[in-house]
Amino acid sequence: MTLKRERLAQQRRMVGQTQEGLAEKLGVDRTTVIRWERAESTPQPWVRPGLAEALQVTPQQLNELLTDTQQGNRHPLDDPGSDRCADTTVDSIGRAADTLTNDPLLVTAPMSRDRIQSLQHDMAVLARTANMAAFDVFTSVRRLCAEARTLAERARRPHDLADLYVVLGQGTALMASTAFDLGYWNESAALARAANQYADLAGHASLVAWTLGLQMTLANWRNEPDAALAYFAKAMSVAPAGEPRLRLRHIASRSYALLGNSPSLKQALRAAYRDRDLATKRPDDLSSSFGGEFAFGPARAAACAAAAWLDLGDGEEAAKCAQEAVDAYTQLPPARRPYSQINGIKIDLAAAYLGMSDRDAAVHALGDVLTLPPEKRNTSLTGRMTRVRHVLGGSPWTHDHEARQLAEAVSGWLTNKSPVLLN
């Protein structure tokens, strides 16, 4: 049965707020509000003041509303049997998969290198997946991590244990990334820290640097660039030359942009170009062996640079880098094009065009994005689209008829309505 916070939903209705309206006011999507009311998640600290104001309650009263939970308040990420919805078929399939993959007959079977190599192979496949929904990635990785933990408890050879720590570090990092996409920011941060600890236990410098880069990214999304730069300093002390440092410098460029530090942003990107040259001569094992989420090629570098320039308010540079990223992604075979990254950079491209007062180009950039199915509209994409809506709400677009049409389409997209097509 679905968990509920009855009084939270009652208060929302009492003040005349719909789920869609409340979500739009707070800059979140409707599914986030639904999860709050089902007690599947708790509003983040920075959302609560706005939520209390929208519901016309004090912070203390809001806390009371949030603790009004029937049947406990277990987090869905903590419960293998509670999947995306209360649908009994989904629950039954999920429980069956968890039960059988943790069958004692399998768990107690003799451990061999083949089992570890199979885990490494399966983790690499999940890291490279381009079109699997975030929740499906999360549950698949969770099961691999459960098996790796069981094997780690029985491992006696040091190199076997080190390899299993790497698998656990990679898996936990993927879970952190997908938890973020699902809107579970606090859980994502906790998983990122755990991934870093596993990587450190394995003595895998590239993975340590990657997990610290993930913590930098999460700090940037929380608008805490100083925290991100503290992780950056730590990561650069262990990151191998080449691609690991290339990625870290690009993430740091976004931190400098959030601080309005243009000279440091430019310096970081210049240094990253030098790292790119080293990356071609000195391939990184994490990237070359696993790739996918653990790779940082030209497309992701350009996309990250575009986001930094956009944060700094330089639409022209942002558009140039964003278009470079789009071009690089379209050169990939269709099955390998990551939908989240591609749609994210198209949204940033639209925001850059709006900053350059080019409405028609922004409409064109958002064309495919606005038809993206609701189940694929993750936190990263909704955050970017919220920025576009904010830009459209200001000068010179408030009196532009076509810009208002675009703003309505964007608002519909953010509230998870049916895909909207522009004329």
Side-chain angles (χ1 to χ4, degrees):
M1 185 178 294
T2 303
L3 301 174
K4 292 181 180 178
R5 292 189 179 106
E6 294 287 1
R7 290 176 59 207
L8 183 67
Q10 289 171 359
Q11 181 67 23
R12 172 182 57 74
R13 288 190 289 267
M14 189 174 73
V15 298
Q17 288 279 6
T18 64
Q19 290 174 332
E20 292 90 345
L22 182 60
E24 185 171 1
K25 180 171 290 190
L26 297 175
V28 300
D29 58 45
R30 178 171 173 265
T31 56
T32 299
V33 175
I34 291 172
R35 288 200 299 266
W36 293 343
E37 294 185 355
R38 289 181 177 175
E40 293 176 353
S41 71
T42 299
Q44 305 292 347
W46 53 88
V47 176
R48 292 191 181 204
L51 179 58
E53 181 180 354
L55 296 178
Q56 300 175 23
V57 296
T58 66
Q60 178 58 39
Q61 290 171 329
L62 177 63
N63 287 337
E64 293 173 359
L65 294 176
L66 294 174
T67 56
D68 173 45
T69 304
Q70 296 179 351
Q71 297 186 3
N73 190 15
R74 293 173 66 188
H75 195 288
L77 298 185
D78 297 331
D79 181 3
S82 107
D83 285 346
R84 278 169 294 186
C85 60
D87 185 272
T88 56
T89 301
V90 174
D91 287 345
S92 296
I93 293 172
R95 280 193 290 270
D98 285 324
T99 299
L100 292 174
T101 53
N102 292 288
D103 189 327
L105 293 175
L106 298 176
V107 171
T108 58
M111 189 173 71
S112 66
R113 286 297 301 174
D114 287 345
R115 290 187 70 185
I116 297 176
Q117 289 168 356
S118 177
L119 277 174
Q120 292 170 326
H121 173 268
D122 290 346
M123 195 66 76
V125 169
L126 288 169
R128 297 182 196 125
T129 185
N131 294 300
M132 186 183 290
F135 188 88
D136 295 328
V137 174
F138 188 97
T139 54
S140 298
V141 171
R142 182 184 61 196
R143 289 173 182 130
L144 292 182
C145 284
E147 182 178 348
R149 286 187 62 205
T150 300
L151 293 180
E153 291 171 359
R154 297 168 47 218
R156 295 294 178 266
R157 291 175 291 199
H159 69 277
D160 285 345
L161 189 57
D163 286 345
L164 288 167
Y165 281 145
V166 171
V167 170
L168 284 165
Q170 292 168 329
T172 311
L174 288 174
M175 290 169 72
S177 182
T178 51
F180 171 79
D181 285 343
L182 291 164
Y184 294 89
W185 287 23
N186 290 340
E187 290 82 357
S188 177
L191 288 165
R193 287 193 298 272
N196 178 257
Q197 292 172 322
Y198 281 125
D200 186 57
L201 284 171
H204 197 299
S206 289
L207 187 56
V208 170
W210 196 96
T211 55
L212 288 168
L214 177 58
Q215 290 176 290
M216 289 174 64
T217 299
L218 293 172
N220 283 336
W221 272 94
R222 293 193 304 268
N223 199 28
E224 298 175 358
D226 290 323
L229 291 173
Y231 287 125
F232 175 60
K234 184 177 180 180
M236 289 297 286
S237 68
V238 298
E243 190 170 312
R245 294 192 172 204
L246 168 72
R247 174 175 174 268
L248 291 170
R249 292 192 202 277
H250 274 89
I251 300 172
S253 72
R254 293 203 64 184
S255 307
Y256 293 127
L258 291 172
L259 291 169
N261 189 338
S262 178
S264 292
L265 183 155
K266 294 175 182 177
Q267 183 180 2
L269 292 180
R270 281 196 299 268
Y273 290 133
R274 294 193 293 271
D275 289 318
R276 182 179 295 183
D277 292 336
L278 281 173
T280 59
K281 302 172 185 174
R282 207 180 294 180
D284 178 61
D285 177 66
L286 183 64
S287 174
S288 57
S289 298
F290 285 83
E293 187 66 15
F294 296 109
F296 196 78
R300 297 190 87 161
C304 201
W309 288 116
L310 198 57
D311 288 336
L312 197 65
D314 191 328
E316 187 173 346
E317 282 294 329
K320 183 175 72 174
C321 293
Q323 189 59 57
E324 181 184 336
V326 170
D327 293 342
Y329 278 128
T330 54
Q331 291 176 13
L332 296 173
R336 293 184 180 175
R337 294 175 189 169
Y339 80 88
S340 182
Q341 288 93 322
I342 291 175
N343 283 281
I345 195 57
K346 286 181 178 179
I347 297 172
D348 283 352
L349 181 59
Y353 282 137
L354 290 172
M356 298 163 63
S357 299
D358 192 339
R359 179 203 61 218
D360 292 341
V363 170
H364 178 70
L366 287 177
D368 292 337
V369 182
L370 290 170
T371 64
L372 193 69
E375 64 270 16
K376 290 192 173 182
R377 301 173 192 177
N378 59 38
T379 297
S380 175
L381 298 181
T382 55
R384 286 174 157 85
M385 194 69 94
T386 299
R387 185 201 328 239
V388 170
R389 182 177 61 184
H390 176 74
V391 173
L392 286 167
S395 178
W397 306 116
T398 51
H399 301 295
D400 184 302
H401 175 68
E402 291 187 33
R404 288 204 307 273
Q405 277 192 316
L406 179 61
E408 290 173 4
V410 167
S411 293
W413 190 96
L414 284 167
T415 53
N416 277 326
K417 293 178 181 177
S418 299
V420 180
L421 295 174
L422 294 176
N423 294 329

